[in-house]
Amino acid sequence: MAGLSEDPSCRDLRLPAAGRGQAIGLYGGSFNPPHEGHLLVAERAIKRLGLDAVWWLVTPGNPLKDHGELKPLGERIDAVRGLARGPRHRATGLEAAFDVRYTADTIRILRERAPHLRFVWVMGADGLASFHRWQDWQTIAETVPIAIVDRPGDTLATLSSKFALRYRRFRLPENEAGDLPGRSAPAWVFLHGARKAISSTAMRNRS
C-alpha cells in the first residue's frame, strides 16, 4: 500500500492512552506534510471544545487523493509529532493497524474498542465541501458530533455544502461549542477565528 514503504513502529499503531470519560478529537488526514494550518485546526478544537486530546489519525492513504506523492506513513507520523508537540496532541497510524481505508470504519472500530471515551470528529472547513463524497458520510454525521474549523476561502462553500444543508437544524451556536463532546450525533459546530493560508499541496510544490 502506498505510504507504508517505511514501516512505522509498534507504538505508532496503538490507540493512544486516554482516561475514562475523556473528550477526544479525531483529526484525520494524509498530513503530507503537516503544516501550521493543520495545527491551528487542532489547537482551536482543543481550546473551543474543551478536548482532553486530539488524536491525529495519519491515514495510510486517502481514497479520494492521488497517492503518487505520498510519503511513507512512519515519516508523516514523525512529522506530525515534530509539529504538534503539546501534551494534548497524539499522532497515530492506527488506521494501518486496523487495515481500514474509510473514516466510517475507523470511527466504528474506535467506538467499539473505547466505549468509555467521547469522540468528536474534527476537520478543517476545506474538507467539508467534498464530505458528501466520503464513504458512508451520513453514517459518520449520525455517529459522532463534528467540529468544523474555518479555513481561508472555505467559509461560504462549507455553509452551503450538502452536509451543512442536510444537518442545518443540528448545528450548535458557536458560543455553545464546549457542549459538543457531550452531545449525541448528529450535532455540529462551525468555529471561526484566525486562519492560515497554507496547504500541503503548496508546500510540496515548493519543495
Side-chain angles (χ1 to χ4, degrees):
M1 181 180 293
L4 288 175
S5 58
E6 292 183 7
D7 291 335
S9 68
C10 291
R11 71 168 180 145
D12 294 333
L13 303 180
R14 299 177 188 148
L15 266 68
R20 180 172 296 276
Q22 286 192 335
I24 305 296
L26 301 175
Y27 186 23
S30 300
F31 304 117
N32 186 46
H35 53 68
E36 291 292 334
H38 292 136
L39 184 60
L40 184 149
V41 168
E43 292 191 335
R44 180 161 299 143
I46 289 171
K47 181 177 180 180
R48 300 287 299 279
L49 306 179
L51 300 177
D52 294 288
V54 164
W55 293 0
W56 295 60
L57 306 179
V58 186
T59 178
N62 185 331
L64 296 180
K65 292 184 178 180
D66 181 5
H67 296 176
E69 298 182 349
L70 189 65
K71 292 187 178 297
L73 177 59
E75 185 175 327
R76 288 180 284 124
I77 292 172
D78 287 343
V80 169
R81 289 201 176 107
L83 174 72
R85 297 177 178 273
R88 295 190 182 186
H89 296 278
R90 314 283 172 76
T92 175
L94 59 80
E95 287 187 314
F98 294 160
D99 193 25
V100 295
R101 298 180 64 219
Y102 300 112
T103 296
D105 293 327
T106 300
I107 291 172
R108 174 182 54 79
I109 292 171
L110 287 173
R111 283 167 53 86
E112 290 172 353
R113 297 196 177 195
H116 57 288
L117 300 178
R118 294 176 294 143
F119 291 116
V120 176
W121 185 256
V122 175
M123 64 190 302
D126 49 335
L128 198 63
S130 62
F131 185 60
H132 64 280
R133 295 174 54 205
W134 293 22
Q135 183 81 11
D136 298 325
W137 69 278
Q138 293 177 55
T139 298
I140 298 170
E142 295 171 17
T143 300
V144 291
I146 297 175
I148 301 146
V149 180
D150 201 6
R151 290 276 289 145
D154 291 293
T155 306
L156 294 178
T158 295
L159 298 180
S160 61
S161 67
K162 288 188 176 182
F163 166 86
L165 295 176
R166 182 177 181 86
Y167 294 103
R168 57 185 175 274
R169 69 188 182 94
F170 298 103
R171 181 183 176 186
L172 271 66
E174 195 166 350
N175 62 4
E176 296 179 14
D179 296 337
L180 188 70
R183 293 294 186 100
S184 297
W188 64 286
V189 68
F190 189 91
L191 302 176
H192 295 84
R195 301 173 295 180
K196 288 184 180 292
I198 186 171
S199 72
S200 295
T201 300
M203 291 179 67
R204 290 196 302 273
N205 290 340
R206 289 201 301 265
S207 63

